[in-house]
Amino acid sequence: MSKIEIELQNQLEDNISVHEDILKMSNDIIEVIKNTHKRLKKGGKILFCGNGGSAADAQHLAAEFLVRLRPQINRDPIPALSLAQDTSTLTACSNDYSFDDIFLRPFKALAKKNDILICISTSGNSKNILKVLKEAKKAKIYSICFLGKGGGKAKKISNKPLVISSNNTARIQECHIFLGHFILEKIEDLILSKN
């Protein structure tokens, strides 16, 4: 085996091991699915946020609900959006207020009763994530966090932290997108079954 093949095997084994740890969160994942579905049925929407690669995941997951998650299933759009989807708002907020407020400002403008906030953060310590989580708690908006590296400060603020048991950013992000896809798929199933 070449050095690259050995490294590939090692990384695949690490990826599989970290994904298998998600099974330990199955009760929390079921709770997230049920609570999110219940709030969507009452007219709520999902507000996603994250920084860097997690921002891309937030936009990706919002698009799956607004457009289509599975190619064989055509259904009405499900209300979801990313709190960091345009450069004008991001740069204006960063310039006029603070980068720490880039999620807080749109959240305060858009969040309503029965909404769900999903924060995606590998560390759980980003100031802008912590600020929006504190505002969600104050506004009684249900918050879910996809986290890693022990969960950071966000773990204590979120209503439902889902913490990936790894310190490797790539492995954490790979698990976050898996979790997002799985949770949204099960919510979609509930919506389509009219339960």
Side-chain angles (χ1 to χ4, degrees):
M1 241 191 231
S2 72
K3 188 176 177 182
I4 291 175
E5 287 172 317
I6 292 167
E7 183 62 23
L8 176 61
Q9 182 176 333
N10 290 341
Q11 290 207 27
L12 281 169
E13 287 171 0
D14 185 39
N15 182 297
I16 290 164
S17 172
V18 175
H19 272 79
E20 284 175 340
D21 280 347
I22 292 173
L23 285 170
K24 295 173 188 169
M25 292 187 271
S26 59
N27 289 336
D28 289 332
I29 292 167
I30 291 165
E31 183 183 326
V32 162
I33 292 164
K34 288 179 178 177
N35 279 335
T36 303
H37 175 245
K38 180 175 79 175
R39 285 167 171 76
L40 288 170
K41 271 178 68 173
K42 292 180 179 178
K45 63 187 169 295
I46 302 177
L47 301 168
F48 290 96
C49 64
N51 292 293
S54 299
D57 287 345
Q59 290 180 0
H60 174 160
L61 293 170
E64 308 265 50
F65 257 21
L66 288 171
V67 184
R68 189 162 61 181
L69 178 63
R70 295 176 273 188
Q72 71 277 19
I73 297 176
N74 290 309
R75 44 110 177 119
D76 288 337
I78 299 167
L81 57 98
S82 167
L83 293 174
Q85 59 188 358
D86 74 90
T87 54
S88 297
T89 304
L90 284 174
T91 54
C93 187
S94 295
N95 187 62
D96 296 355
Y97 292 94
S98 166
F99 187 77
D100 296 346
D101 294 332
I102 62 166
F103 305 133
L104 178 66
R105 297 290 295 181
F107 179 84
K108 286 174 92 169
L110 300 170
K112 303 282 185 245
K113 183 181 177 186
N114 293 313
D115 285 352
I116 306 99
L117 173 67
I118 299 182
C119 297
I120 308 171
S121 174
T122 56
S123 71
N125 289 318
S126 300
K127 289 179 184 174
N128 51 19
I129 294 285
L130 298 175
K131 277 185 108 168
V132 75
L133 280 169
K134 287 174 185 171
E135 182 62 27
K137 188 175 274 304
K138 191 170 119 185
K140 296 186 171 104
I141 301 288
Y142 184 69
S143 65
I144 302 158
C145 281
F146 296 174
L147 303 166
K149 300 179 183 174
K153 295 175 184 172
K155 182 179 176 180
K156 294 178 183 162
I157 305 170
S158 173
N159 292 112
K160 189 50 69 180
L162 300 175
V163 184
I164 302 304
S165 59
S166 177
N167 288 316
N168 182 313
T169 299
R171 296 297 87 80
I172 296 164
Q173 290 176 330
E174 289 155 4
C175 289
H176 284 172
I177 201 64
F178 169 82
L179 273 175
H181 280 147
F182 180 80
I183 289 167
L184 295 188
E185 185 179 298
K186 296 303 117 197
I187 292 166
E188 182 180 73
D189 288 345
L190 288 171
I191 288 169
L192 293 171
S193 70
K194 309 287 190 219
N195 286 333

